Amino acid sequence: MPDVYATIASADEAVQERLAEVLELRAADPQQRAMLETYLEDLAPVGGARVLDLGCGTGAVARTLAALPGVGEVVGIDPSSVFIGQARRLSEGIAGLSFEVGDGRALGLPDGSFDAVVLHTVLCHIPEPERALAEAFRVVRDGGRLAIFDGDYATSTVAAYENDPLQGCAEATIAALVHDPWLARRLRRLVSEAGWRVTGMRSHGYLETTDPGYSMTLVDRGADSLVGAGRLGAEAGEALKSEARRRADADEFFGHIAYVSMIAERPGS
Ligand SMILES: C[S@@+](CC[C@H](N)C(=O)[O-])C[C@H]1O[C@@H](n2cnc3c(N)ncnc32)[C@H](O)[C@@H]1O
């Protein structure tokens, strides 16, 4: 199954609404918040910076950006009108924050009009990510900055041992949700080729053992999609979901997702 985010504007409205909930839940997760705060410290916007949140979803990162003392204005762009509607509702009353429907690969925004661009778990979902990086480069001023945060989803795991059948579920979910799970490996080259000067990269880890939330959804969604594709019988799908819960209850569950962040600068003229 292809990545639903890659063609989000044509996805069923009910699907977009369910994903909008997932994005807000993920953003509220303390480990996710800590990773965001860490790389935004690396970005360090100052002096009333004008920041573009490209692929903003429901605007969770944009709201965090708007609250930073060095940020003056935030614009969020996303192809999903459902996400943008939700982003507007959730940001009512927050000054300096606006949202527009748009494609990050063809922005209707003037050259050099931002001090920074943020791409938070977006590039791995976009076919032709180099076009989004080129657009980000175009709309940032000379000396402006880019922050990218993305999953190294190829290494996502719920396996407790070699050939663990739960891992097949996680891999099925990643295949359905992530256009390019290997993007993080090519990120440095892609960003440099778009003209940016990379100034730093960091790795981040997301680990769930007790009370796994997101990792459990990797198992459940994968089991459902394998059953839906006829690769697994319904009973086997339910058995894998039960096994994941048994492990969680027995303190035997292990779910891990590695993320990378990168800060880059548009060289001055
Ligand atoms: C996993 S979500 C992340 C959303 C948000 N950045 C966050 O972290 O909550 C991926 C986002 O990429 C957006 N997206 C997909 N294709 C895009 C494109 N061509 N240009 C800009 N955003 C895109 C999706 O609509 C979705 O909101």
Side-chain angles (χ1 to χ4, degrees):
M1 238 168 52
D3 178 347
V4 61
Y5 286 118
T7 50
I8 192 74
S10 55
D12 202 67
E13 199 160 310
V15 170
Q16 295 188 50
E17 274 161 13
R18 206 173 62 239
L19 288 172
E21 277 172 35
V22 172
L23 288 177
E24 284 298 316
L25 277 176
R26 188 183 71 164
D29 181 309
Q31 287 192 72
Q32 293 286 346
R33 289 206 63 82
M35 293 188 285
L36 172 65
E37 281 161 18
T38 299
Y39 86 80
L40 289 183
E41 271 177 33
D42 294 338
L43 180 67
V46 287
R50 186 160 196 261
V51 184
L52 176 63
D53 181 4
L54 205 50
C56 62
T58 50
V61 171
R63 295 195 300 275
T64 301
L65 283 163
L68 295 179
V71 172
E73 188 186 345
V74 182
V75 177
I77 299 272
D78 200 281
S80 161
S81 54
V82 173
F83 291 174
I84 291 296
Q86 190 67 349
R88 287 181 179 142
R89 273 188 290 281
L90 291 170
S91 65
E92 267 170 30
I94 303 178
L97 189 48
S98 62
F99 296 96
E100 295 300 330
V101 174
D103 187 326
R105 296 165 299 189
L107 292 167
L109 296 167
D111 294 0
S113 49
F114 288 90
D115 299 299
V117 177
V118 174
L119 285 148
H120 188 93
T121 62
V122 172
L123 275 184
C124 70
H125 296 290
I126 306 187
E128 302 179 283
E130 57 282 353
R131 286 178 55 201
L133 289 169
E135 276 295 80
F137 189 82
R138 182 182 66 74
V139 300
V140 156
R141 64 166 170 79
D142 286 350
R145 306 187 90 192
L146 171 73
I148 297 173
F149 177 80
D150 228 315
D152 182 42
Y153 293 111
T155 51
S156 303
T157 187
V158 294
Y161 53 84
E162 205 174 351
N163 300 323
D164 185 336
L166 289 194
Q167 184 62 16
C169 297
E171 284 170 15
T173 303
I174 298 293
L177 279 183
V178 182
H179 175 73
D180 184 358
W182 296 92
L183 177 108
R185 318 292 172 98
R186 294 185 290 116
L187 197 54
R188 195 170 186 118
R189 180 175 58 76
L190 280 175
V191 168
S192 301
E193 281 177 0
W196 299 93
R197 187 174 67 83
V198 176
T199 59
M201 281 186 86
R202 222 187 240 285
S203 72
H204 309 253
Y206 181 87
L207 174 66
E208 288 187 306
T209 52
T210 55
D211 198 17
Y214 190 72
S215 306
M216 194 61 83
T217 71
L218 291 184
V219 175
D220 289 354
R221 287 191 280 192
D224 289 344
S225 75
L226 289 170
V227 170
R231 294 190 185 163
L232 211 57
E235 271 181 29
E238 288 309 310
L240 289 171
K241 291 188 206 174
S242 300
E243 168 60 9
R245 280 156 184 81
R246 184 200 66 74
R247 288 187 197 176
D249 291 344
D251 274 349
E252 288 174 22
F253 192 91
F254 183 93
H256 189 267
I257 304 175
Y259 289 88
V260 297
S261 62
M262 172 186 281
I263 305 295
E265 197 171 275
R266 180 180 163 129
S269 53

